[in-house]
Amino acid sequence: MSSRVLITGAGGQLGHDLVSQFSLNGYQVFGLTRQDLDITDQDMVKSVFEKIKPDLVVHAAAYTAVDQAESDVDDAFRVNAIGTRNVAVEANRYNAKVVYVSTDYVFNGQAREPINEFSPVAPICIYGQSKLAGENYIRDLCNQFFIVRTSWVYGSHGNNFVKTMLKLGQEKKEIGVVADQIGSPTYTVDLAKSIVEIGATEKFGIYHVSNSGSCSWYEFAKAIFEISGIDVKVKALSTEEFPRPAKRPAYSVLDHMGLRLNGFKETPHWRDALKNFLQT
């Protein structure tokens, strides 16, 4: 099997692992970074697709600076909405299946139990609104699509919470971390493996893919130090004590109903995933 897969955002932390997982599974991989493909340039998107003629497109390129998006509204929508439209139009032209990587930020955080794929969306920040606009373009313009929502992503490439904690753990004796936001950390390798598995099928629709189980950022930080053997005192903070420009959902644990109903593999528990990441 040598299907041609085009991966946007291949320079990002998820993009790196998507390229390696699809390669391991025998795909002919075209991993495009921001330098290779500016998704906001419709003519460029058109000519790249014309050259590659992909069978599958994994659209992982995104504007992800959550706080900056609050003051940079046009740019967030230019990349996450208009860029996604450009990719959707061309993917459909070549009858390619599309996987759009979305986010738990499409929810308002008021849920009290894990959120399934059929729950109503109501983003509370610009980043979430722009990613939802991208989802809508995918739905409107593609015949064959998967929307994969994920949360709290970390991996070997790029900046993320785990790396930040490890760095702070070397520099400080005490760290304050928000304890009243609950979600599911997601290791990019596990996410990429799920995307490979889902993308090989015609079980189109929306999927929630995160590592299983849930925790607060505070519990996540404690687990990072514990597994790494770093001795740091972690202090629980409230969201009020740690103000940020963009509102975060207070609760965004994703239920993997889509994986269950369609017979896909359940993801590893977040603690096991974290161990795998820290010990490789």
Side-chain angles (χ1 to χ4, degrees):
M1 177 197 76
S2 183
S3 285
R4 299 162 74 80
V5 59
L6 185 162
I7 298 169
T8 69
Q13 62 174 350
L14 174 58
H16 271 98
D17 289 323
L18 285 168
V19 169
S20 60
Q21 290 301 324
F22 274 100
S23 302
L24 286 172
N25 281 276
Y27 284 80
Q28 195 177 349
V29 179
F30 299 85
L32 305 180
T33 65
R34 192 183 304 174
Q35 284 66 43
D36 306 320
L37 175 63
D38 174 1
I39 59 170
T40 65
D41 178 341
Q42 194 165 28
D43 294 333
M44 188 178 189
V45 175
K46 202 171 184 158
S47 72
V48 164
F49 270 73
E50 216 167 331
K51 281 195 201 85
I52 295 172
K53 298 186 174 59
D55 303 302
L56 173 65
V57 178
V58 182
H59 181 34
Y63 180 110
T64 55
V66 175
D67 287 319
Q68 204 179 312
E70 292 298 306
S71 53
D72 198 5
V73 181
D74 277 18
D75 252 6
F77 277 92
R78 185 177 293 114
V79 176
N80 293 343
I82 302 305
T84 299
R85 175 204 64 192
N86 295 342
V87 169
V89 167
E90 293 309 314
N92 217 44
R93 191 191 306 278
Y94 294 95
N95 212 25
K97 298 191 280 193
V98 182
V99 179
Y100 173 68
V101 182
S102 193
T103 171
D104 58 325
Y105 279 66
V106 298
F107 298 107
N108 63 13
Q110 286 170 18
R112 288 290 163 265
E113 53 196 33
I115 306 159
N116 71 39
E117 290 83 346
F118 303 99
S119 306
V121 289
I124 53 175
C125 66
I126 297 298
Y127 168 68
Q129 290 166 14
S130 67
K131 288 296 288 179
L132 180 59
E135 284 192 12
N136 291 336
Y137 274 126
I138 294 287
R139 287 174 180 227
D140 293 346
L141 300 169
C142 297
N143 292 328
Q144 312 183 81
F145 65 84
F146 310 89
I147 290 168
V148 174
R149 297 183 184 134
T150 190
S151 60
W152 296 24
V153 175
Y154 66 91
S156 319
H157 306 275
N159 298 318
N160 54 60
F161 183 78
V162 181
K163 288 187 180 178
T164 301
M165 289 300 116
L166 292 173
K167 187 170 174 295
L168 290 174
Q170 302 301 331
E171 300 163 357
K172 296 182 180 330
K173 284 281 152 266
E174 182 175 306
I175 299 171
V177 182
V178 171
D180 57 2
Q181 290 172 22
I182 313 291
S184 304
T186 308
Y187 181 23
T188 47
V189 172
D190 293 328
L191 176 55
K193 284 178 178 170
S194 274
I195 288 173
V196 171
E197 193 192 355
I198 293 166
T201 71
E202 294 191 342
K203 296 177 177 181
F204 302 119
I206 301 179
Y207 290 89
H208 286 174
V209 182
S210 56
N211 281 117
S212 51
S214 62
C215 59
S216 66
W217 289 109
Y218 166 76
E219 291 165 323
F220 190 22
K222 284 185 75 149
I224 293 164
F225 296 130
E226 200 180 293
I227 295 165
S228 311
I230 298 172
D231 184 23
V232 178
K233 188 174 182 317
V234 185
K235 196 167 130 254
L237 298 180
S238 69
T239 299
E240 277 69 52
E241 291 174 277
F242 193 69
R244 310 277 284 279
K247 271 185 157 162
R248 268 59 176 177
Y251 181 97
S252 64
V253 180
L254 300 174
D255 178 34
H256 307 150
M257 188 189 267
L259 295 180
R260 289 196 303 277
L261 298 185
N262 289 287
F264 291 119
K265 284 200 281 286
E266 182 53 276
T267 51
H269 191 274
W270 70 266
R271 274 184 174 273
D272 298 328
L274 181 60
K275 273 188 195 129
N276 283 344
F277 172 66
L278 291 171
Q279 288 161 7
T280 46

